[in-house]
Amino acid sequence: MTNDTHHSTATTTTTESTTASTTRTVAAYAAERPDAPLAKTTVVRRAVGEHDILIDIRYSGICHSDLHQVGEDWGTGIFPMVPGHEIAGVVSEVGPGVTRWKVGDRVGVGCFVDSCRTCDNCRAGLQQYCTGEGGAVFTYNSTGRDGLPTYGGYSAELVVDEAYALSIPDNLPLDAAAPLLCAGITLYSPLAHWGAGPGRKVAIVGLGGLGHMGVKFAHAMGAEVTVLSQSLRKREDGLKLGADHFRATADPATFTELAGGFDLIVNTVSADLDLSAYLGLLRTDGTLVQVGAPEKPVSVNAHALISGRRSVAGSMIGGLPATQEMLDFCGEHGITAEIELIRADRINEAYQRVLDGDVRFRFVIDASTI
Ligand code: NAP
Ligand code: ZN
Ligand code: ZN
């Protein structure tokens, strides 16, 4: 989730190569410029290095962050842009120094593909918050330590350092597991960090890609879960996903009847909300965790904070250890995303449907159609 201004023109060359020791040209879907529709193209992947693995991408989820970045909602992007940071695939080649993986392993790659490895955050396993020079290298719309732009998962293959891949448990289908790499960890991490569990009342705001994973995790962790959705349209689905209660935020009674009721609220909404109204739903010492990343700044009424010693916090994805822990938790509990599998030539249509709120609950691209 970063933006920098490095631009490169060496992105769509047609170097032909498929051997381990050289770069390879792979099929991909890219936006050529901000807000342009995604179109089929090719990108060059680096040669498989000493500690790299080559991943045959099988599935790639569509995260709302992909739309934000293609649309430059968060600032200047690097174009052409190949989005995609919910990647599930199979190892097809390993570098000579690779110890963690072998050909055939089922692996995932999430939002970052490198970090400094030496700062306090990297050493603590919080690579997403890397404070080393250049910070974390994000899976796309970022600049690698080789100075080249990164390209994401809407593509056929990916070369990544072995340390930045995660193991996908055998019992999870790869298509429905792909969204765990961003939507999954983004909700698992704050729910675990702020102690969702038995005896705790948790609200998930927004039942989209992130929100529906939040409901599954909070329920599996033993918390009492309420969905706060704009309307009751998704009520039946929400209850099936594990919610105990489902309330519409368009109904003012929701805010009076549930006032002071929650220990933890996780806001996944991609638009700016009146957070002060949601703060009123927290108990004394409760926390509202912001994970949605709207274009506009969020603001809060000071009185809503101080009147109940309430906190507003933020959380970004999760580090490598937490992501593996989340995947293992999913393996144990049989948790995956609810997906609609699409062909790559349907990406633009899917983007529009995400904007229209017409997805239950995550689009996943079948990478064999790229
Ligand atoms: P999504 O599938 O589009 O879901 C967003 C949900 O928010 C919608 O389903 C809708 O839920 C609700 N919503 C949308 N517009 C709204 C509005 N104007 N007012 C009130 N509610 C609205 O998106 P997503 O992929 O889950 O991503 C959600 C946000 O999280 C995005 O901003 C994304 O960039 C961000 N994100 C953050 C992180 C992180 O690390 N912090 C990671 C990934 C994504 P209802 O229909 O239930 O109301
Ligand atoms: Zn994402
Ligand atoms: Zn670091």
Side-chain angles (χ1 to χ4, degrees):
M1 297 182 55
T2 188
N3 294 282
D4 44 27
T5 51
H6 180 95
H7 287 257
S8 169
T9 50
T11 54
T12 52
T13 59
T14 52
T15 318
E16 270 308 322
S17 174
T18 50
T19 60
S21 56
T22 57
T23 59
R24 68 186 59 229
T25 301
V26 306
Y29 267 73
E32 285 296 323
R33 46 180 198 287
D35 267 335
L38 279 85
K40 193 165 173 160
T41 184
T42 57
V43 292
V44 177
R45 297 296 189 189
R46 68 170 185 258
V48 177
E50 178 82 12
H51 297 288
D52 285 340
I53 58 174
L54 176 66
I55 299 172
D56 175 16
I57 298 177
R58 300 288 168 84
Y59 300 101
S60 198
I62 294 180
C63 177
H64 206 118
S65 299
D66 301 345
L67 283 72
H68 285 306
Q69 291 181 87
V70 167
E72 291 195 322
D73 291 350
W74 300 340
T76 307
I78 302 172
F79 290 89
M81 185 185 295
V82 177
H85 57 207
E86 295 186 333
I87 301 168
V90 175
V91 176
S92 56
E93 198 174 300
V94 298
V98 168
T99 56
R100 296 185 56 204
W101 310 107
K102 57 181 190 322
V103 170
D105 284 348
R106 292 152 44 91
V107 290
V109 174
C111 296
F112 55 89
V113 288
D114 201 2
S115 63
C116 85
R117 306 169 199 224
T118 55
C119 74
D120 289 348
N121 284 338
C122 280
R123 280 205 291 239
L126 296 168
Q127 293 85 357
Q128 76 276 32
Y129 304 129
C130 174
T131 55
E133 206 188 327
V137 175
F138 292 89
T139 305
Y140 69 90
N141 195 22
S142 189
T143 304
R145 291 202 152 53
D146 55 6
L148 296 172
T150 56
Y151 298 113
Y154 300 2
S155 63
E157 291 178 294
L158 174 69
V159 178
V160 67
D161 185 295
E162 65 163 329
Y164 291 79
L166 288 310
S167 174
I168 297 179
D170 282 339
N171 61 326
L172 304 181
L174 286 181
D175 53 358
L180 300 176
L181 276 302
C182 176
I185 184 59
T186 300
L187 270 291
Y188 179 88
S189 172
L191 289 169
H193 183 80
W194 276 280
R200 305 268 284 171
K201 293 190 176 173
V202 174
I204 303 290
V205 188
L207 195 64
L210 266 56
H212 95 289
M213 291 310 309
V215 172
K216 289 193 179 197
F217 284 133
H219 174 68
M221 290 170 183
E224 184 177 331
V225 188
T226 300
V227 174
L228 299 175
S229 187
Q230 293 168 91
S231 70
L232 295 180
R233 197 165 55 97
K234 301 177 185 170
R235 184 171 179 276
E236 205 175 310
D237 280 345
L239 298 179
K240 262 193 234 150
L241 293 167
D244 300 288
H245 317 281
F246 197 106
R247 299 296 296 259
T249 53
D251 179 0
T254 295
F255 290 91
T256 50
E257 288 170 21
L258 303 185
F262 297 106
D263 299 288
L264 176 65
I265 299 175
V266 184
N267 176 22
T268 74
V269 173
S270 47
D272 52 327
L273 289 187
D274 173 16
L275 290 193
S276 304
Y278 290 83
L279 283 171
L281 302 180
L282 287 173
R283 286 186 173 152
T284 304
D285 285 331
T287 303
L288 185 156
V289 183
Q290 179 72 29
V291 296
E295 185 176 352
K296 292 191 192 135
V298 294
S299 66
V300 295
N301 178 327
H303 294 280
L305 277 178
I306 61 186
S307 63
R309 198 161 62 185
R310 296 168 175 132
S311 304
V312 177
S315 184
M316 189 171 85
I317 44 175
L320 292 167
T323 306
Q324 191 59 62
E325 180 186 302
M326 177 274 307
L327 287 166
D328 295 344
F329 182 90
C330 288
E332 279 160 36
H333 294 264
I335 292 175
T336 52
E338 303 301 312
I339 64 162
E340 183 173 335
L341 195 62
I342 60 161
R343 293 177 45 83
D345 57 13
R346 286 300 177 57
I347 292 172
N348 296 305
E349 196 182 301
Y351 271 34
Q352 189 53 50
R353 286 182 57 196
V354 170
L355 292 174
D356 295 343
D358 177 23
V359 50
R360 297 194 186 183
F361 282 91
R362 199 56 139 187
F363 286 114
V364 172
I365 302 162
D366 178 349
S368 71
T369 64
I370 294 175

